[in-house]
Amino acid sequence: MPVEFLGIAATNDGSETTARSGAAFDREYTLRLARAHEDHGWDRVLFAYGSGSPDPAPAAAYVAARLDRLQLLLAHRPNVSYPTYAAKTFATLDQISGGRLTVHFITGGNDHEQAREGDTLTKDERYARTREYIRIVKKIWTTREPFDHEGEHYRFHDFVSDVFPARQPRPDVSFGGSSPAAYAAGGAEADVYCLWGEPLEKTAQQIEAVKAAAAAAGRTDVPRIQVAFRPIIAPTEELAWEKAHRTLGAIRQRRHAAPARHHRGGVTEAAAPQNTGSQRLIAIAEAGERYDRALWTPTAAATGGAGNSNALVGTPETVAQALLDYHDLGVDVLSARGYELLDDAVDFGRYVIPLVREEVAKRDAARSAAEPVRTAAAVRA
């Protein structure tokens, strides 16, 4: 099974450990970071969405027009535009990129963050809206004749787009979440289902939940699985753990210095997260600091379970083996983001990605070589 690597397409150099040094949209840094990913073996980068952050769609177009190979994952919240408009935006961006776009639809797990842009629906209502939204976008991408839509959240008549994606029949759709409502929506509509890094046992349980939701929706296929981590690597185990504890100290210091500020998910350090994914991360951290080969939870605890925040700590070899453990569960998209965004993207690309790709290639070759033997045995039987 092939493996892909997803990084981050940040528009400035700020992170949980370091305040940004310039504007929210730093054009030179945005391109430099994206180029570092393209030059060091990454497949794709995520253009994230926040209520007050730079718009990810033009940022993605800016990068797409300047780089030739790097694929784009564009985060989008259905509350910010009508699906007819969004479908045209995505198709145009896919044309600019030459078919390199995937769209990640965000339902929104925090009422306060959603309300910042006028979204007052309940969580369950948001999931129903997202599901309807995705279906409309897919239809617009693939329909050449005008059509009407009368749904719970959207109504329009005689619409047809004049711009279609470069990728045919359509770009992939990415979706994430850890609640039953998320599994149901993503299991039905997603090409890629995104999870935050959890212990192997819990990740396996989530994968089964996604598969069950896909089957319940009548699908004969299942979404590909993506899992996200914060790698902390160094030449030796001792140095890696020293780096991990320095990183944790920097996260705590930065949050303590600005206690009233909100992180990207819209939750203050003192507030309990509303979304199931963050609640799961906090519960896992409360149950233990270290799991499996390299998973470390204090970084998630320090951020209040904010997004992708569990770390993998160790040498490049240790972290590569830990990622392969997830690949063995059926994960074929590995998302990683360090705390020093540019330097960590380069180091991970140089020292971890090649190890994982080499081992995956060996395993795939061994399976291919064994297949004729199994087939011949079955014929004889």
Side-chain angles (χ1 to χ4, degrees), residues 43-129:
D43 297 287
R44 192 184 314 269
V45 288
L46 167 66
F47 292 81
Y49 190 93
S51 59
S53 301
D55 189 341
Y62 170 71
V63 168
R66 287 158 178 81
L67 300 181
D68 297 324
R69 301 185 308 278
L70 192 66
Q71 298 177 61
L72 317 171
L73 177 59
L74 178 69
H76 179 77
R77 286 182 183 167
N79 61 290
V80 300
S81 70
Y82 218 69
T84 50
Y85 175 85
K88 294 184 297 180
T89 300
F90 303 148
T92 303
L93 179 53
D94 198 52
Q95 288 286 346
I96 292 170
S97 70
R100 289 180 280 153
L101 179 68
T102 297
V103 182
H104 180 67
F105 290 93
I106 303 173
T107 297
N110 180 265
D111 293 343
H112 180 81
E113 169 69 2
Q114 295 301 122
R116 285 171 168 170
E117 294 187 284
D119 187 7
T120 58
L121 297 185
T122 66
K123 183 177 179 181
D124 286 344
E125 289 171 336
R126 291 198 298 266
Y127 273 112
R129 178 184 61 191

Side-chain angles (χ1 to χ4, degrees), residues 16-17 197 228-233 240-253 255 263 269 278 281-282 284-286 288-291 294-313 337-339 344:
E16 296 92 332
T17 61
F229 303 97
R230 306 301 293 272
I232 301 174
I233 62 171
W241 284 104
E242 288 178 1
K243 182 178 178 181
H245 286 287
R246 286 198 308 272
T247 299
L248 179 60
I251 292 171
R252 289 171 172 167
Q253 182 177 11
R255 288 177 68 83
H263 65 63
E269 184 171 8
S278 293
L281 293 188
I282 291 173
I284 290 167
E286 289 175 346
E289 289 193 356
R290 295 178 66 169
Y291 292 86
L295 191 73
W296 194 53
T297 65
T299 48
T303 61
N308 170 24
S309 50
N310 269 340
L312 292 177
V313 182
R337 171 165 55 100
Y339 292 93
D344 287 347

